[in-house]
Amino acid sequence: MDETQAIHAPPNYEIEPCGDLSIRTLAMPADTNQNGDIFGGWLLSQMDIGGRIFASKVAKSRTVTVAIEAMNFRKPVFVGDVVSVHVNLVRIGKTSVTVRVEAWVMRRKEMHSILVTDGNFTYVSIDDNGRPQAIEPGEPPIST
């Protein structure tokens, strides 16, 4: 492991997805970059969607993405990979929800999932006018 990997992608000892399954989709040819791999922006958008689904259930309202932290692109995603986005609640603030989001893939001819990307996403609960609103205390959802 070189110094760059140690800083940007700390080793992950998880061997299976952690948290609730939020979405699952198939990586398609239209989602590739100039090298033929799946474009990182596409993967990031899938993770944002999965995180927002969970955050909206926690907040019981519309939410908007305000921050993405500690994003690690660990391995490439290829056309034909089945991408699963898993989420875990990190923190509930007065108006915000922080969610740990992991993207795992099942590759053709593989028997186990592979962690490809993970990060923390923060969402803010908003009212009908798009202004931040307090999140009412309550039990977070058990599943998405």
Side-chain angles (χ1 to χ4, degrees):
M1 176 181 299
D2 67 26
E3 192 172 307
T4 303
Q5 289 172 318
I7 293 170
H8 297 291
N12 185 353
Y13 300 105
E14 295 178 43
I15 57 172
E16 62 183 44
C18 185
D20 296 329
L21 175 64
S22 186
I23 62 170
R24 181 173 284 148
T25 190
L26 181 65
M28 300 293 287
D31 306 318
T32 59
N33 61 23
Q34 70 277 10
N35 297 320
D37 298 327
I38 296 302
F39 180 58
W42 176 85
L43 183 58
L44 184 66
S45 72
Q46 299 304 306
M47 294 173 72
D48 188 30
I49 291 167
R52 182 172 295 137
I53 290 169
F54 184 83
S56 291
K57 286 186 176 186
V58 170
K60 298 176 185 70
S61 69
R62 287 178 51 203
T63 59
V64 293
T65 309
V66 294
I68 300 173
E69 304 172 59
M71 201 67 191
N72 295 305
F73 289 90
R74 299 173 183 278
K75 296 186 184 289
V77 177
F78 304 116
V79 171
D81 285 351
V82 176
V83 178
S84 299
V85 176
H86 295 260
V87 296
N88 262 325
L89 180 64
V90 173
R91 180 183 81 77
I92 300 175
K94 181 179 177 186
T95 62
S96 66
V97 177
T98 300
V99 179
R100 179 77 179 162
V101 182
E102 298 178 347
W104 291 72
V105 297
M106 180 66 76
R107 301 200 198 282
R108 286 179 236 144
K109 300 181 183 178
E110 291 284 334
M111 298 303 293
H112 64 282
S113 295
I114 301 165
L115 177 64
V116 292
T117 310
D118 59 295
N120 293 336
F121 290 62
T122 301
Y123 303 89
V124 168
S125 174
I126 59 171
D127 63 19
D128 291 337
N129 297 314
R131 293 190 181 95
Q133 67 178 1
I135 297 173
E136 295 181 24
E139 291 295 315
I142 293 173
S143 65
T144 57

